Amino acid sequence: MPHRPAATRRTAIGATLGALLVATGCDLDDLDPRGGPVPAGSPTAPPVDADTALVAEVVADLDATIAALPHARSLGDLPDALIALHLTHRAALTDDPAPAPGTGGRRLAYAPALRRVRTLERAHQGRLDDACLAAGSGALASLLASMSAAVAQRLASVSTAVPR
């Protein structure tokens, strides 16, 4: 009786690769070079990513917060520091150029301006917290959480601001 060798190394590697290919469910249609991108308006287009819509909402909220910040000489550099913080956050979320902060917002005396800043920033921080919880991506949730923490830290300094 002739001796038949057990499976060769080549046979074992080929069988393993074949099994791996079958197990991963490789679909040959995905490899078709004729398939191009699906137009956005097409009924077969994928839905807009929930995180993309969430980022758009957060950017709109940042723009609204910047526009609503009061400009009061009695607050010193506080409004400018908050605007700089929000513009940094906006840049982290989008490649769009930031809108130039105008002199929007209301000119108020110290106490009403400080109350307005606290109210705006607390509301903005709350929306960041909500967005963080709604994020589907861990990286986006982490970014939104750090943005919320930065606003909270700035709020702590606002709470201890003293009039000049």
Side-chain angles (χ1 to χ4, degrees):
M1 258 174 59
H3 179 270
R4 284 183 75 181
T8 63
R9 189 179 333 162
R10 241 185 249 173
T11 306
I13 291 174
T16 303
L17 288 176
L20 183 63
L21 193 62
V22 168
T24 59
C26 181
D27 188 1
L28 295 178
D29 290 338
D30 293 339
L31 302 176
D32 186 2
R34 293 172 291 166
V38 179
S42 170
T44 58
V48 174
D49 184 345
D51 281 351
T52 303
L54 183 64
V55 167
E57 288 176 24
V58 172
V59 168
D61 183 54
L62 282 165
D63 292 344
T65 302
I66 290 168
L69 278 170
H71 296 280
R73 286 196 178 125
S74 60
L75 291 179
D77 293 334
L78 180 62
D80 292 335
L82 288 168
I83 288 171
L85 175 70
H86 296 320
L87 289 175
T88 301
H89 289 168
R90 190 182 195 288
L93 291 169
T94 182
D95 292 333
D96 294 339
T103 56
R106 302 184 331 227
R107 297 193 178 277
L108 300 171
Y110 179 79
L114 191 57
R115 276 194 302 276
R116 176 86 175 137
V117 166
R118 286 180 183 154
T119 301
L120 279 169
E121 294 301 316
R122 283 185 186 127
H124 175 63
Q125 183 191 10
R127 289 186 295 272
L128 284 173
D129 290 342
D130 292 343
C132 175
L133 294 173
S137 159
L140 179 59
S142 177
L143 176 62
L144 294 171
S146 69
M147 290 168 60
S148 175
V151 171
Q153 185 178 19
R154 195 59 72 154
L155 267 175
S157 69
V158 168
S159 298
T160 60
V162 290
R164 293 182 188 188

